mmCIF file with all atom_site columns, all heavy atoms in Angstrom:
data_model
loop_
_atom_site.group_PDB
_atom_site.id
_atom_site.type_symbol
_atom_site.label_atom_id
_atom_site.label_alt_id
_atom_site.label_comp_id
_atom_site.label_asym_id
_atom_site.label_entity_id
_atom_site.label_seq_id
_atom_site.pdbx_PDB_ins_code
_atom_site.Cartn_x
_atom_site.Cartn_y
_atom_site.Cartn_z
_atom_site.occupancy
_atom_site.B_iso_or_equiv
_atom_site.pdbx_formal_charge
_atom_site.auth_seq_id
_atom_site.auth_comp_id
_atom_site.auth_asym_id
_atom_site.auth_atom_id
_atom_site.pdbx_PDB_model_num
ATOM 1   N N   . ARG A 1 89  ? -10.898 -37.687 -7.294  1.00 0.00 ? 618 ARG A N   1
ATOM 2   C CA  . ARG A 1 89  ? -11.701 -37.102 -6.217  1.00 0.00 ? 618 ARG A CA  1
ATOM 3   C C   . ARG A 1 89  ? -12.468 -38.138 -5.392  1.00 0.00 ? 618 ARG A C   1
ATOM 4   O O   . ARG A 1 89  ? -13.158 -37.774 -4.449  1.00 0.00 ? 618 ARG A O   1
ATOM 5   C CB  . ARG A 1 89  ? -12.635 -36.030 -6.748  1.00 0.00 ? 618 ARG A CB  1
ATOM 6   C CG  . ARG A 1 89  ? -13.869 -36.534 -7.418  1.00 0.00 ? 618 ARG A CG  1
ATOM 7   C CD  . ARG A 1 89  ? -14.781 -35.384 -7.738  1.00 0.00 ? 618 ARG A CD  1
ATOM 8   N NE  . ARG A 1 89  ? -16.030 -35.890 -8.281  1.00 0.00 ? 618 ARG A NE  1
ATOM 9   C CZ  . ARG A 1 89  ? -16.965 -35.136 -8.774  1.00 0.00 ? 618 ARG A CZ  1
ATOM 10  N NH1 . ARG A 1 89  ? -16.803 -33.829 -8.814  1.00 0.00 ? 618 ARG A NH1 1
ATOM 11  N NH2 . ARG A 1 89  ? -18.063 -35.663 -9.238  1.00 0.00 ? 618 ARG A NH2 1
ATOM 12  N N   . ASP A 1 90  ? -12.323 -39.411 -5.703  1.00 0.00 ? 619 ASP A N   1
ATOM 13  C CA  . ASP A 1 90  ? -13.005 -40.474 -4.957  1.00 0.00 ? 619 ASP A CA  1
ATOM 14  C C   . ASP A 1 90  ? -12.266 -40.717 -3.642  1.00 0.00 ? 619 ASP A C   1
ATOM 15  O O   . ASP A 1 90  ? -11.177 -41.282 -3.627  1.00 0.00 ? 619 ASP A O   1
ATOM 16  C CB  . ASP A 1 90  ? -13.056 -41.754 -5.792  1.00 0.00 ? 619 ASP A CB  1
ATOM 17  C CG  . ASP A 1 90  ? -13.801 -42.885 -5.107  1.00 0.00 ? 619 ASP A CG  1
ATOM 18  O OD1 . ASP A 1 90  ? -14.255 -42.709 -3.959  1.00 0.00 ? 619 ASP A OD1 1
ATOM 19  O OD2 . ASP A 1 90  ? -13.911 -43.957 -5.731  1.00 0.00 ? 619 ASP A OD2 1
ATOM 20  N N   . VAL A 1 91  ? -12.874 -40.311 -2.532  1.00 0.00 ? 620 VAL A N   1
ATOM 21  C CA  . VAL A 1 91  ? -12.209 -40.409 -1.233  1.00 0.00 ? 620 VAL A CA  1
ATOM 22  C C   . VAL A 1 91  ? -12.020 -41.853 -0.772  1.00 0.00 ? 620 VAL A C   1
ATOM 23  O O   . VAL A 1 91  ? -11.238 -42.107 0.141   1.00 0.00 ? 620 VAL A O   1
ATOM 24  C CB  . VAL A 1 91  ? -12.958 -39.604 -0.146  1.00 0.00 ? 620 VAL A CB  1
ATOM 25  C CG1 . VAL A 1 91  ? -12.914 -38.127 -0.466  1.00 0.00 ? 620 VAL A CG1 1
ATOM 26  C CG2 . VAL A 1 91  ? -14.382 -40.095 0.022   1.00 0.00 ? 620 VAL A CG2 1
ATOM 27  N N   . GLU A 1 92  ? -12.696 -42.790 -1.400  1.00 0.00 ? 621 GLU A N   1
ATOM 28  C CA  . GLU A 1 92  ? -12.530 -44.200 -1.037  1.00 0.00 ? 621 GLU A CA  1
ATOM 29  C C   . GLU A 1 92  ? -11.388 -44.867 -1.801  1.00 0.00 ? 621 GLU A C   1
ATOM 30  O O   . GLU A 1 92  ? -11.043 -46.010 -1.516  1.00 0.00 ? 621 GLU A O   1
ATOM 31  C CB  . GLU A 1 92  ? -13.842 -44.954 -1.267  1.00 0.00 ? 621 GLU A CB  1
ATOM 32  C CG  . GLU A 1 92  ? -14.935 -44.486 -0.315  1.00 0.00 ? 621 GLU A CG  1
ATOM 33  C CD  . GLU A 1 92  ? -16.208 -45.283 -0.463  1.00 0.00 ? 621 GLU A CD  1
ATOM 34  O OE1 . GLU A 1 92  ? -16.147 -46.414 -0.982  1.00 0.00 ? 621 GLU A OE1 1
ATOM 35  O OE2 . GLU A 1 92  ? -17.257 -44.770 -0.055  1.00 0.00 ? 621 GLU A OE2 1
ATOM 36  N N   . THR A 1 93  ? -10.806 -44.165 -2.742  1.00 0.00 ? 622 THR A N   1
ATOM 37  C CA  . THR A 1 93  ? -9.684  -44.684 -3.515  1.00 0.00 ? 622 THR A CA  1
ATOM 38  C C   . THR A 1 93  ? -8.399  -44.513 -2.720  1.00 0.00 ? 622 THR A C   1
ATOM 39  O O   . THR A 1 93  ? -8.250  -43.558 -1.949  1.00 0.00 ? 622 THR A O   1
ATOM 40  C CB  . THR A 1 93  ? -9.598  -43.935 -4.866  1.00 0.00 ? 622 THR A CB  1
ATOM 41  O OG1 . THR A 1 93  ? -10.800 -44.191 -5.597  1.00 0.00 ? 622 THR A OG1 1
ATOM 42  C CG2 . THR A 1 93  ? -8.420  -44.382 -5.691  1.00 0.00 ? 622 THR A CG2 1
ATOM 43  N N   . ALA A 1 94  ? -7.458  -45.432 -2.913  1.00 0.00 ? 623 ALA A N   1
ATOM 44  C CA  . ALA A 1 94  ? -6.170  -45.378 -2.203  1.00 0.00 ? 623 ALA A CA  1
ATOM 45  C C   . ALA A 1 94  ? -5.506  -44.013 -2.431  1.00 0.00 ? 623 ALA A C   1
ATOM 46  O O   . ALA A 1 94  ? -5.522  -43.488 -3.549  1.00 0.00 ? 623 ALA A O   1
ATOM 47  C CB  . ALA A 1 94  ? -5.265  -46.500 -2.695  1.00 0.00 ? 623 ALA A CB  1
ATOM 48  N N   . PRO A 1 95  ? -4.905  -43.446 -1.382  1.00 0.00 ? 624 PRO A N   1
ATOM 49  C CA  . PRO A 1 95  ? -4.289  -42.120 -1.495  1.00 0.00 ? 624 PRO A CA  1
ATOM 50  C C   . PRO A 1 95  ? -3.247  -42.012 -2.622  1.00 0.00 ? 624 PRO A C   1
ATOM 51  O O   . PRO A 1 95  ? -3.201  -40.993 -3.317  1.00 0.00 ? 624 PRO A O   1
ATOM 52  C CB  . PRO A 1 95  ? -3.644  -41.901 -0.121  1.00 0.00 ? 624 PRO A CB  1
ATOM 53  C CG  . PRO A 1 95  ? -4.436  -42.754 0.806   1.00 0.00 ? 624 PRO A CG  1
ATOM 54  C CD  . PRO A 1 95  ? -4.847  -43.958 -0.001  1.00 0.00 ? 624 PRO A CD  1
ATOM 55  N N   . GLN A 1 96  ? -2.423  -43.037 -2.808  1.00 0.00 ? 625 GLN A N   1
ATOM 56  C CA  . GLN A 1 96  ? -1.417  -42.968 -3.868  1.00 0.00 ? 625 GLN A CA  1
ATOM 57  C C   . GLN A 1 96  ? -2.056  -42.960 -5.247  1.00 0.00 ? 625 GLN A C   1
ATOM 58  O O   . GLN A 1 96  ? -1.593  -42.285 -6.156  1.00 0.00 ? 625 GLN A O   1
ATOM 59  C CB  . GLN A 1 96  ? -0.412  -44.119 -3.758  1.00 0.00 ? 625 GLN A CB  1
ATOM 60  C CG  . GLN A 1 96  ? 0.737   -44.039 -4.751  1.00 0.00 ? 625 GLN A CG  1
ATOM 61  C CD  . GLN A 1 96  ? 1.564   -42.761 -4.606  1.00 0.00 ? 625 GLN A CD  1
ATOM 62  O OE1 . GLN A 1 96  ? 1.739   -42.232 -3.513  1.00 0.00 ? 625 GLN A OE1 1
ATOM 63  N NE2 . GLN A 1 96  ? 2.065   -42.257 -5.721  1.00 0.00 ? 625 GLN A NE2 1
ATOM 64  N N   . VAL A 1 97  ? -3.139  -43.695 -5.405  1.00 0.00 ? 626 VAL A N   1
ATOM 65  C CA  . VAL A 1 97  ? -3.862  -43.696 -6.681  1.00 0.00 ? 626 VAL A CA  1
ATOM 66  C C   . VAL A 1 97  ? -4.421  -42.306 -6.950  1.00 0.00 ? 626 VAL A C   1
ATOM 67  O O   . VAL A 1 97  ? -4.299  -41.779 -8.058  1.00 0.00 ? 626 VAL A O   1
ATOM 68  C CB  . VAL A 1 97  ? -4.992  -44.746 -6.676  1.00 0.00 ? 626 VAL A CB  1
ATOM 69  C CG1 . VAL A 1 97  ? -5.864  -44.617 -7.918  1.00 0.00 ? 626 VAL A CG1 1
ATOM 70  C CG2 . VAL A 1 97  ? -4.425  -46.148 -6.564  1.00 0.00 ? 626 VAL A CG2 1
ATOM 71  N N   . ARG A 1 98  ? -5.014  -41.722 -5.930  1.00 0.00 ? 627 ARG A N   1
ATOM 72  C CA  . ARG A 1 98  ? -5.560  -40.373 -6.087  1.00 0.00 ? 627 ARG A CA  1
ATOM 73  C C   . ARG A 1 98  ? -4.455  -39.388 -6.455  1.00 0.00 ? 627 ARG A C   1
ATOM 74  O O   . ARG A 1 98  ? -4.625  -38.553 -7.353  1.00 0.00 ? 627 ARG A O   1
ATOM 75  C CB  . ARG A 1 98  ? -6.257  -39.930 -4.802  1.00 0.00 ? 627 ARG A CB  1
ATOM 76  C CG  . ARG A 1 98  ? -7.512  -40.739 -4.502  1.00 0.00 ? 627 ARG A CG  1
ATOM 77  C CD  . ARG A 1 98  ? -8.232  -40.265 -3.272  1.00 0.00 ? 627 ARG A CD  1
ATOM 78  N NE  . ARG A 1 98  ? -8.789  -38.940 -3.543  1.00 0.00 ? 627 ARG A NE  1
ATOM 79  C CZ  . ARG A 1 98  ? -9.010  -38.021 -2.607  1.00 0.00 ? 627 ARG A CZ  1
ATOM 80  N NH1 . ARG A 1 98  ? -8.721  -38.271 -1.340  1.00 0.00 ? 627 ARG A NH1 1
ATOM 81  N NH2 . ARG A 1 98  ? -9.522  -36.862 -2.935  1.00 0.00 ? 627 ARG A NH2 1
ATOM 82  N N   . ALA A 1 99  ? -3.320  -39.491 -5.777  1.00 0.00 ? 628 ALA A N   1
ATOM 83  C CA  . ALA A 1 99  ? -2.195  -38.590 -6.068  1.00 0.00 ? 628 ALA A CA  1
ATOM 84  C C   . ALA A 1 99  ? -1.736  -38.744 -7.509  1.00 0.00 ? 628 ALA A C   1
ATOM 85  O O   . ALA A 1 99  ? -1.494  -37.749 -8.209  1.00 0.00 ? 628 ALA A O   1
ATOM 86  C CB  . ALA A 1 99  ? -1.045  -38.869 -5.103  1.00 0.00 ? 628 ALA A CB  1
ATOM 87  N N   . GLU A 1 100 ? -1.625  -39.976 -7.965  1.00 0.00 ? 629 GLU A N   1
ATOM 88  C CA  . GLU A 1 100 ? -1.160  -40.210 -9.337  1.00 0.00 ? 629 GLU A CA  1
ATOM 89  C C   . GLU A 1 100 ? -2.215  -39.813 -10.365 1.00 0.00 ? 629 GLU A C   1
ATOM 90  O O   . GLU A 1 100 ? -1.872  -39.390 -11.473 1.00 0.00 ? 629 GLU A O   1
ATOM 91  C CB  . GLU A 1 100 ? -0.714  -41.655 -9.496  1.00 0.00 ? 629 GLU A CB  1
ATOM 92  C CG  . GLU A 1 100 ? 0.558   -41.923 -8.702  1.00 0.00 ? 629 GLU A CG  1
ATOM 93  C CD  . GLU A 1 100 ? 1.229   -43.235 -9.046  1.00 0.00 ? 629 GLU A CD  1
ATOM 94  O OE1 . GLU A 1 100 ? 1.205   -43.633 -10.223 1.00 0.00 ? 629 GLU A OE1 1
ATOM 95  O OE2 . GLU A 1 100 ? 1.784   -43.856 -8.126  1.00 0.00 ? 629 GLU A OE2 1
ATOM 96  N N   . ALA A 1 101 ? -3.492  -39.927 -10.030 1.00 0.00 ? 630 ALA A N   1
ATOM 97  C CA  . ALA A 1 101 ? -4.546  -39.482 -10.942 1.00 0.00 ? 630 ALA A CA  1
ATOM 98  C C   . ALA A 1 101 ? -4.506  -37.954 -11.082 1.00 0.00 ? 630 ALA A C   1
ATOM 99  O O   . ALA A 1 101 ? -4.613  -37.423 -12.192 1.00 0.00 ? 630 ALA A O   1
ATOM 100 C CB  . ALA A 1 101 ? -5.912  -39.955 -10.450 1.00 0.00 ? 630 ALA A CB  1
ATOM 101 N N   . PHE A 1 102 ? -4.338  -37.246 -9.953  1.00 0.00 ? 631 PHE A N   1
ATOM 102 C CA  . PHE A 1 102 ? -4.176  -35.789 -10.022 1.00 0.00 ? 631 PHE A CA  1
ATOM 103 C C   . PHE A 1 102 ? -2.963  -35.431 -10.878 1.00 0.00 ? 631 PHE A C   1
ATOM 104 O O   . PHE A 1 102 ? -3.012  -34.530 -11.721 1.00 0.00 ? 631 PHE A O   1
ATOM 105 C CB  . PHE A 1 102 ? -4.018  -35.182 -8.614  1.00 0.00 ? 631 PHE A CB  1
ATOM 106 C CG  . PHE A 1 102 ? -5.307  -34.863 -7.931  1.00 0.00 ? 631 PHE A CG  1
ATOM 107 C CD1 . PHE A 1 102 ? -5.741  -35.623 -6.855  1.00 0.00 ? 631 PHE A CD1 1
ATOM 108 C CD2 . PHE A 1 102 ? -6.090  -33.788 -8.329  1.00 0.00 ? 631 PHE A CD2 1
ATOM 109 C CE1 . PHE A 1 102 ? -6.926  -35.325 -6.200  1.00 0.00 ? 631 PHE A CE1 1
ATOM 110 C CE2 . PHE A 1 102 ? -7.276  -33.478 -7.685  1.00 0.00 ? 631 PHE A CE2 1
ATOM 111 C CZ  . PHE A 1 102 ? -7.704  -34.249 -6.619  1.00 0.00 ? 631 PHE A CZ  1
ATOM 112 N N   . ASP A 1 103 ? -1.854  -36.140 -10.667 1.00 0.00 ? 632 ASP A N   1
ATOM 113 C CA  . ASP A 1 103 ? -0.640  -35.870 -11.433 1.00 0.00 ? 632 ASP A CA  1
ATOM 114 C C   . ASP A 1 103 ? -0.851  -36.142 -12.922 1.00 0.00 ? 632 ASP A C   1
ATOM 115 O O   . ASP A 1 103 ? -0.380  -35.382 -13.764 1.00 0.00 ? 632 ASP A O   1
ATOM 116 C CB  . ASP A 1 103 ? 0.516   -36.718 -10.899 1.00 0.00 ? 632 ASP A CB  1
ATOM 117 C CG  . ASP A 1 103 ? 1.816   -36.382 -11.590 1.00 0.00 ? 632 ASP A CG  1
ATOM 118 O OD1 . ASP A 1 103 ? 2.266   -35.210 -11.486 1.00 0.00 ? 632 ASP A OD1 1
ATOM 119 O OD2 . ASP A 1 103 ? 2.382   -37.266 -12.267 1.00 0.00 ? 632 ASP A OD2 1
ATOM 120 N N   . ALA A 1 104 ? -1.564  -37.202 -13.253 1.00 0.00 ? 633 ALA A N   1
ATOM 121 C CA  . ALA A 1 104 ? -1.835  -37.513 -14.657 1.00 0.00 ? 633 ALA A CA  1
ATOM 122 C C   . ALA A 1 104 ? -2.650  -36.395 -15.310 1.00 0.00 ? 633 ALA A C   1
ATOM 123 O O   . ALA A 1 104 ? -2.414  -36.041 -16.475 1.00 0.00 ? 633 ALA A O   1
ATOM 124 C CB  . ALA A 1 104 ? -2.554  -38.854 -14.776 1.00 0.00 ? 633 ALA A CB  1
ATOM 125 N N   . LEU A 1 105 ? -3.582  -35.828 -14.567 1.00 0.00 ? 634 LEU A N   1
ATOM 126 C CA  . LEU A 1 105 ? -4.358  -34.704 -15.110 1.00 0.00 ? 634 LEU A CA  1
ATOM 127 C C   . LEU A 1 105 ? -3.463  -33.490 -15.360 1.00 0.00 ? 634 LEU A C   1
ATOM 128 O O   . LEU A 1 105 ? -3.589  -32.813 -16.380 1.00 0.00 ? 634 LEU A O   1
ATOM 129 C CB  . LEU A 1 105 ? -5.499  -34.332 -14.161 1.00 0.00 ? 634 LEU A CB  1
ATOM 130 C CG  . LEU A 1 105 ? -6.662  -35.312 -14.149 1.00 0.00 ? 634 LEU A CG  1
ATOM 131 C CD1 . LEU A 1 105 ? -7.566  -35.050 -12.954 1.00 0.00 ? 634 LEU A CD1 1
ATOM 132 C CD2 . LEU A 1 105 ? -7.441  -35.234 -15.451 1.00 0.00 ? 634 LEU A CD2 1
ATOM 133 N N   . ARG A 1 106 ? -2.541  -33.231 -14.446 1.00 0.00 ? 635 ARG A N   1
ATOM 134 C CA  . ARG A 1 106 ? -1.604  -32.106 -14.645 1.00 0.00 ? 635 ARG A CA  1
ATOM 135 C C   . ARG A 1 106 ? -0.715  -32.360 -15.865 1.00 0.00 ? 635 ARG A C   1
ATOM 136 O O   . ARG A 1 106 ? -0.447  -31.453 -16.653 1.00 0.00 ? 635 ARG A O   1
ATOM 137 C CB  . ARG A 1 106 ? -0.762  -31.897 -13.393 1.00 0.00 ? 635 ARG A CB  1
ATOM 138 C CG  . ARG A 1 106 ? -1.536  -31.300 -12.239 1.00 0.00 ? 635 ARG A CG  1
ATOM 139 C CD  . ARG A 1 106 ? -0.654  -31.053 -11.010 1.00 0.00 ? 635 ARG A CD  1
ATOM 140 N NE  . ARG A 1 106 ? -1.449  -30.542 -9.920  1.00 0.00 ? 635 ARG A NE  1
ATOM 141 C CZ  . ARG A 1 106 ? -1.998  -31.304 -8.963  1.00 0.00 ? 635 ARG A CZ  1
ATOM 142 N NH1 . ARG A 1 106 ? -1.793  -32.606 -8.944  1.00 0.00 ? 635 ARG A NH1 1
ATOM 143 N NH2 . ARG A 1 106 ? -2.717  -30.749 -8.015  1.00 0.00 ? 635 ARG A NH2 1
ATOM 144 N N   . ARG A 1 107 ? -0.258  -33.607 -16.016 1.00 0.00 ? 636 ARG A N   1
ATOM 145 C CA  . ARG A 1 107 ? 0.584   -33.945 -17.179 1.00 0.00 ? 636 ARG A CA  1
ATOM 146 C C   . ARG A 1 107 ? -0.207  -33.862 -18.472 1.00 0.00 ? 636 ARG A C   1
ATOM 147 O O   . ARG A 1 107 ? 0.317   -33.413 -19.495 1.00 0.00 ? 636 ARG A O   1
ATOM 148 C CB  . ARG A 1 107 ? 1.197   -35.339 -17.006 1.00 0.00 ? 636 ARG A CB  1
ATOM 149 C CG  . ARG A 1 107 ? 2.259   -35.366 -15.910 1.00 0.00 ? 636 ARG A CG  1
ATOM 150 C CD  . ARG A 1 107 ? 2.954   -36.709 -15.761 1.00 0.00 ? 636 ARG A CD  1
ATOM 151 N NE  . ARG A 1 107 ? 2.051   -37.694 -15.178 1.00 0.00 ? 636 ARG A NE  1
ATOM 152 C CZ  . ARG A 1 107 ? 1.728   -38.861 -15.735 1.00 0.00 ? 636 ARG A CZ  1
ATOM 153 N NH1 . ARG A 1 107 ? 2.248   -39.226 -16.875 1.00 0.00 ? 636 ARG A NH1 1
ATOM 154 N NH2 . ARG A 1 107 ? 0.893   -39.688 -15.131 1.00 0.00 ? 636 ARG A NH2 1
ATOM 155 N N   . LEU A 1 108 ? -1.473  -34.268 -18.436 1.00 0.00 ? 637 LEU A N   1
ATOM 156 C CA  . LEU A 1 108 ? -2.312  -34.157 -19.629 1.00 0.00 ? 637 LEU A CA  1
ATOM 157 C C   . LEU A 1 108 ? -2.470  -32.700 -20.021 1.00 0.00 ? 637 LEU A C   1
ATOM 158 O O   . LEU A 1 108 ? -2.285  -32.331 -21.182 1.00 0.00 ? 637 LEU A O   1
ATOM 159 C CB  . LEU A 1 108 ? -3.686  -34.796 -19.374 1.00 0.00 ? 637 LEU A CB  1
ATOM 160 C CG  . LEU A 1 108 ? -4.731  -34.631 -20.477 1.00 0.00 ? 637 LEU A CG  1
ATOM 161 C CD1 . LEU A 1 108 ? -4.243  -35.234 -21.791 1.00 0.00 ? 637 LEU A CD1 1
ATOM 162 C CD2 . LEU A 1 108 ? -6.052  -35.260 -20.051 1.00 0.00 ? 637 LEU A CD2 1
ATOM 163 N N   . SER A 1 109 ? -2.762  -31.853 -19.057 1.00 0.00 ? 638 SER A N   1
ATOM 164 C CA  . SER A 1 109 ? -2.916  -30.424 -19.341 1.00 0.00 ? 638 SER A CA  1
ATOM 165 C C   . SER A 1 109 ? -1.642  -29.834 -19.939 1.00 0.00 ? 638 SER A C   1
ATOM 166 O O   . SER A 1 109 ? -1.692  -29.074 -20.904 1.00 0.00 ? 638 SER A O   1
ATOM 167 C CB  . SER A 1 109 ? -3.301  -29.683 -18.060 1.00 0.00 ? 638 SER A CB  1
ATOM 168 O OG  . SER A 1 109 ? -3.511  -28.321 -18.328 1.00 0.00 ? 638 SER A OG  1
ATOM 169 N N   . ALA A 1 110 ? -0.497  -30.207 -19.396 1.00 0.00 ? 639 ALA A N   1
ATOM 170 C CA  . ALA A 1 110 ? 0.781   -29.684 -19.884 1.00 0.00 ? 639 ALA A CA  1
ATOM 171 C C   . ALA A 1 110 ? 1.066   -30.136 -21.318 1.00 0.00 ? 639 ALA A C   1
ATOM 172 O O   . ALA A 1 110 ? 1.729   -29.415 -22.077 1.00 0.00 ? 639 ALA A O   1
ATOM 173 C CB  . ALA A 1 110 ? 1.910   -30.132 -18.966 1.00 0.00 ? 639 ALA A CB  1
#
Side-chain angles (χ1 to χ4, degrees):
R618 79 173 185 187
D619 182 358
V620 295
E621 293 184 21
T622 298
Q625 185 60 33
V626 172
R627 293 183 68 208
E629 291 193 36
F631 274 109
D632 185 61
L634 286 166
R635 288 182 183 94
R636 290 183 289 123
L637 174 59
S638 183

